[in-house]
Amino acid sequence: MRSILNCLLPFLVLTVLPGTGIAQENHNAQQDERKWWKEAVVYQVYPRSFKDSDGDGIGDLKGIISKLDYIKSLGVNTVWLNPIYSSPNDDNGYDVSDYRNIMKDFGTMADFDALLKGMHDRGIKLVMDLVVNHSSDEHEWFKQSRSSRSNPYRNYYHWWNAENGKPPYRYSLFDINHDAWMYDSLTNAYYLHYFSRKQPDLNWENPKLRSEVYNIMKFWADKGIDGFRLDAFQFAAKDTTFPAFPKGFEKNFILYYAMQGNLHGYLQEMHQEVLSKYDVMSVAEGAGNSFEDAHNLVDADRHELNMAYAFEGVDIAKPQGYSLLHFKEVFSRWDSAFANAGWLSIFLANHDQARLVSRFGNDDPKFREGSAKMLATFIMTMRGTPYYYNGDELGMTNANFSSINDYRDMPVLNEYKHQENIGGDMEKFMKFTKATSRDNSRTPFQWDNTKNAGFSVGTPWIKVNPNYTSINAAAQEKDPNSCLNYFRSLLKLRAANIPVLVYGKYTLLDKNNPHVYAYVRENSGEKLLVLLNFSASNAQAVLPRMTGRPELLLSNYKQPPQFDKTYSKITLKAYEAAVFKL
Ligand code: GLC
């Protein structure tokens, strides 16, 4: 959850999660219960930027329909769609004004039905974003709620009457220099908005509100969708006595803002009312503040959610880089903590992050393809359900916008104004924004080398990355060694090795190697060895001596790496990735 703020909050300190030590030996209990959502490979489609069918410069549902064969060809079997509901678009659809309708920019309900059918006809499942920590201030509930103190919808939101003085300060995550309490003169009261002022927080303590949300979920589940991604849900449960937070809480705001109150009660109720009645998967954005929190959200016997995204891994990368030792430690620790119960997602990028290859790999043209393939190999060979963001299969890179006029993301624009007002260091701010902005991953999908990368015949809502002339799907289709075709081979490898790659035990090797990430996945005597060089130079891995010649299954170089005679040392080229059968 903290992760969405990386684009904004350079000065905040990360919450440290309690550790359990690296890659302890464990019983492989995960294989005991096979589930489709554990075996899913989720491809995230950002509808606004995927494909525009009507020339208004905004991606839409018909555009996605026209690309379903492409999505199918990747080998993924599940799509997560960012919000497509009616919205005034203060936060690109994360401010919903009608949960049962489709955003005009994106099309109609008939388009949605056709999209869902098109996916199901191809064996692809659809997971929808559920944005219910907040609604739009243009939602009918909020319009009613603000109209008078006695309106039946008043308690759908959090209000603080002004005669009680100013409410205890919380800052808005999307306008970090402003109070999250917004004064509304109409009823002389403040409403709470953890995100933008156009995203008032819903009051989950109100059973009527909860029941409205469950009905909305049923509406979509009855249509046949296959899952929900619970957006920012940990913020839904608040301490509604609204205590004053201690000095300095900003640095660890998450401990105060999220996972308070009756979160687990709400999720158990949601499970009972909705999730248990359908074959749908559920995934939470954020995994709490500790392993205990994460287990409480996802352990099967608790009947809450199926899985969560933990942000500790994705938060490692900073504009100045990251340490592979730290990266290995974090992913090993999380794997270890979930080896016997619970289930996690594996991801390194999404619509709230800079581009995968620019952030975790190397987007220098010399290394871009190699490092993009290497990172894909990591994500597809770890335990957990992989989530892959559209365009990363091509190795699309950061937008590198240098003018504030090119940015569209509201938190960036808010902060820009603030820095200007206080006479801040604008150069520093722009440099930071270039590396971290969410707009980096929101530029149009690069389909081909025609105008606007084949995304739209109109003017795109956000600039196309000029490198589309060389980085695009059409060119990569033709090249057997492209990122795109490597991604497809990788997914075939995963599909052919479900027991070991999805459920198998994970063991870290060569732990202190600062350049190479080496691990074994193992199930019922089957073993796969994964070797990943995270550096731009040759690097050697030292492995336990093996008894026979490992069989190469996949590598991102034409000349795969060679073991020495004892099969215990191997030199990997820059960003080399290789998967062996042992
Ligand atoms: C989540 C979404 C992000 C959105 C925020 C507020 O973090 O991923 O895009 O801005 O919630 O809804």
Side-chain angles (χ1 to χ4, degrees):
M1 193 62 240
R2 173 176 302 277
S3 188
I4 53 165
L5 300 171
N6 278 347
C7 56
L8 283 180
L9 305 181
F11 309 114
L12 289 187
V13 176
L14 289 187
T15 311
V16 179
L17 292 160
T20 60
I22 286 196
Q24 296 142 2
E25 279 299 305
N26 46 55
H27 160 71
N28 180 11
Q30 291 293 5
Q31 65 191 322
D32 298 345
E33 223 198 338
R34 289 186 70 162
K35 294 279 182 207
W36 71 261
W37 43 266
K38 292 184 180 174
E39 296 175 18
V41 176
V42 185
Y43 183 68
Q44 183 188 348
V45 171
Y46 196 68
R48 207 170 179 76
S49 303
F50 197 58
K51 174 73 187 167
D52 173 22
S53 73
D54 59 5
D56 66 356
I58 298 173
D60 48 43
L61 301 187
K62 281 197 173 125
I64 303 174
I65 294 173
S66 71
K67 294 297 181 185
L68 284 178
D69 287 337
Y70 169 82
I71 295 175
K72 176 73 185 168
S73 81
L74 297 175
V76 301
N77 50 21
T78 305
V79 162
W80 154 30
L81 216 52
N82 290 94
I84 54 166
Y85 317 102
S86 302
S87 163
N89 267 316
D90 185 48
D91 184 23
N92 284 6
Y94 281 94
D95 45 322
V96 180
S97 53
D98 183 351
Y99 291 93
R100 288 186 176 83
N101 255 315
I102 303 295
M103 191 193 299
K104 285 203 177 59
D105 291 341
F106 290 167
T108 62
M109 194 56 93
D111 296 337
F112 174 81
D113 293 339
L115 174 64
L116 184 61
K117 180 169 182 320
M119 285 188 183
H120 285 171
D121 286 350
R122 289 168 179 79
I124 299 171
K125 293 186 187 282
L126 175 61
V127 172
M128 302 269 285
D129 230 304
L130 182 71
V131 191
V132 288
N133 168 67
H134 43 267
S135 73
S136 162
D137 65 343
E138 295 183 32
H139 193 291
E140 189 55 32
W141 297 337
F142 190 72
K143 289 185 192 161
Q144 294 283 338
S145 183
R146 73 177 285 248
S147 66
S148 88
R149 287 190 182 184
S150 57
N151 187 282
Y153 288 90
R154 186 68 168 181
N155 282 334
Y156 274 42
Y157 296 87
H158 300 284
W159 290 97
W160 180 283
N161 293 337
E163 61 271 21
N164 298 329
K166 273 199 98 177
Y169 177 71
R170 284 104 181 81
Y171 68 94
S172 154
L173 302 176
F174 278 175
D175 200 352
I176 55 176
N177 304 292
H178 286 102
D179 203 323
W181 288 105
M182 178 80 186
Y183 180 68
D184 190 18
S185 59
L186 200 62
T187 54
N188 190 32
Y190 298 82
Y191 68 85
L192 183 70
H193 64 91
Y194 272 173
F195 292 88
S196 94
R197 60 189 62 182
K198 284 186 68 62
Q199 294 169 301
D201 283 47
L202 289 161
N203 178 8
W204 273 76
E205 289 196 353
N206 181 348
K208 279 201 190 130
L209 177 270
R210 300 206 299 276
S211 139
E212 298 254 23
V213 171
Y214 305 148
N215 287 336
I216 290 165
M217 293 174 78
K218 284 181 200 157
F219 170 84
W220 291 100
D222 286 337
K223 273 188 168 288
I225 70 153
D226 306 287
F228 296 99
R229 173 233 186 223
L230 274 70
D231 179 73
F233 195 69
Q234 293 164 70
F235 293 110
K238 303 173 172 69
D239 179 348
T240 51
T241 63
F242 295 118
F245 294 150
K247 215 167 162 228
F249 78 90
E250 291 90 339
K251 294 210 161 73
N252 255 329
F253 74 94
I254 202 108
L255 297 175
Y256 300 93
Y257 281 35
M259 303 290 295
Q260 303 290 315
N262 194 18
L263 185 86
H264 297 293
Y266 302 153
L267 288 175
Q268 282 163 14
E269 187 182 68
M270 182 186 285
H271 187 272
Q272 197 185 334
E273 294 291 321
V274 188
L275 300 173
S276 62
K277 300 198 164 121
Y278 301 86
D279 184 18
V280 288
M281 64 165 254
S282 52
V283 52
E285 186 191 22
N289 300 318
S290 64
F291 287 144
E292 195 190 345
D293 279 351
H295 276 291
N296 286 344
L297 290 169
V298 301
D299 284 4
D301 55 3
R302 292 181 54 87
H303 305 296
E304 296 189 22
L305 300 173
N306 296 141
M307 61 180 125
Y309 309 91
F311 279 109
E312 196 185 359
V314 86
D315 282 343
I316 290 173
K318 299 282 176 265
Q320 59 277 19
Y322 67 101
S323 133
L324 179 66
L325 290 178
H326 184 198
F327 186 93
K328 295 200 278 191
E329 186 273 328
V330 170
F331 278 95
S332 301
R333 178 156 43 78
W334 276 90
D335 183 85
S336 169
F338 283 78
N340 296 318
W343 195 252
L344 289 174
S345 322
I346 297 288
F347 76 106
L348 286 175
N350 62 31
H351 65 293
D352 291 329
Q353 316 287 333
R355 276 283 172 190
L356 175 67
V357 72
S358 302
R359 185 149 175 241
F360 282 94
N362 189 332
D363 61 12
D364 179 310
K366 204 165 149 215
F367 299 117
R368 184 188 61 83
E369 287 191 40
S371 62
K373 293 173 187 171
M374 185 278 291
L375 291 164
T377 315
F378 167 71
I379 290 168
M380 296 302 162
T381 57
M382 287 293 283
R383 178 157 49 187
T385 299
Y387 286 67
Y388 219 75
Y389 183 66
N390 59 194
D392 285 343
E393 75 276 20
L394 307 178
M396 277 179 63
T397 65
N398 274 356
N400 276 327
F401 293 147
S402 18
S403 161
I404 192 66
N405 298 326
D406 293 336
Y407 287 93
R408 297 287 174 269
D409 196 17
M410 162 262 300
V412 164
L413 303 178
N414 285 342
E415 184 61 14
Y416 183 86
K417 259 187 249 149
H418 172 75
Q419 290 295 329
E420 256 188 349
N421 289 343
I422 62 166
D425 183 341
M426 299 314 284
E427 208 177 305
K428 188 171 163 208
F429 173 74
M430 288 306 290
K431 195 169 164 219
F432 181 79
T433 300
K434 201 176 196 174
T436 60
S437 159
R438 307 196 294 181
D439 284 332
N440 276 314
S441 59
R442 297 176 180 186
T443 60
F445 193 98
Q446 294 167 203
W447 291 107
D448 55 40
N449 65 4
T450 64
K451 195 179 164 212
N452 297 328
F455 162 69
S456 172
V457 294
T459 307
W461 68 278
I462 188 170
K463 266 192 177 170
V464 176
N465 191 320
N467 66 17
Y468 75 89
T469 49
S470 56
I471 304 174
N472 64 66
Q476 296 198 18
E477 287 287 356
K478 291 185 213 133
D479 173 2
N481 297 314
S482 64
C483 292
L484 175 60
N485 283 318
Y486 181 83
F487 187 75
R488 289 173 172 146
S489 309
L490 190 57
L491 290 207
K492 281 192 190 123
L493 176 86
R494 188 178 162 91
N497 291 281
I498 299 260
V500 61
L501 282 179
V502 176
Y503 299 99
K505 191 171 99 175
Y506 155 97
T507 309
L508 178 67
L509 303 177
D510 203 7
K511 174 179 155 189
N512 296 321
N513 191 322
H515 305 301
V516 176
Y517 197 163
Y519 47 93
V520 169
R521 300 294 313 281
E522 178 177 359
N523 199 348
S524 309
E526 276 220 46
K527 285 189 188 176
L528 295 185
L529 168 69
V530 181
L531 299 174
L532 308 166
N533 181 0
F534 273 66
S535 78
S537 330
N538 284 357
Q540 193 182 63
V542 181
L543 307 167
R545 205 190 155 107
M546 281 170 264
T547 45
R549 176 191 286 272
E551 179 197 340
L552 182 79
L553 299 183
L554 188 70
S555 130
N556 62 350
Y557 271 81
K558 278 190 194 137
Q559 294 294 324
Q562 301 295 321
F563 278 95
D564 71 347
K565 284 195 191 108
T566 64
Y567 303 125
S568 63
K569 285 198 185 117
I570 187 164
T571 300
L572 301 166
K573 296 177 277 295
Y575 297 109
E576 187 157 22
V579 182
F580 292 92
K581 193 178 169 77
L582 298 183

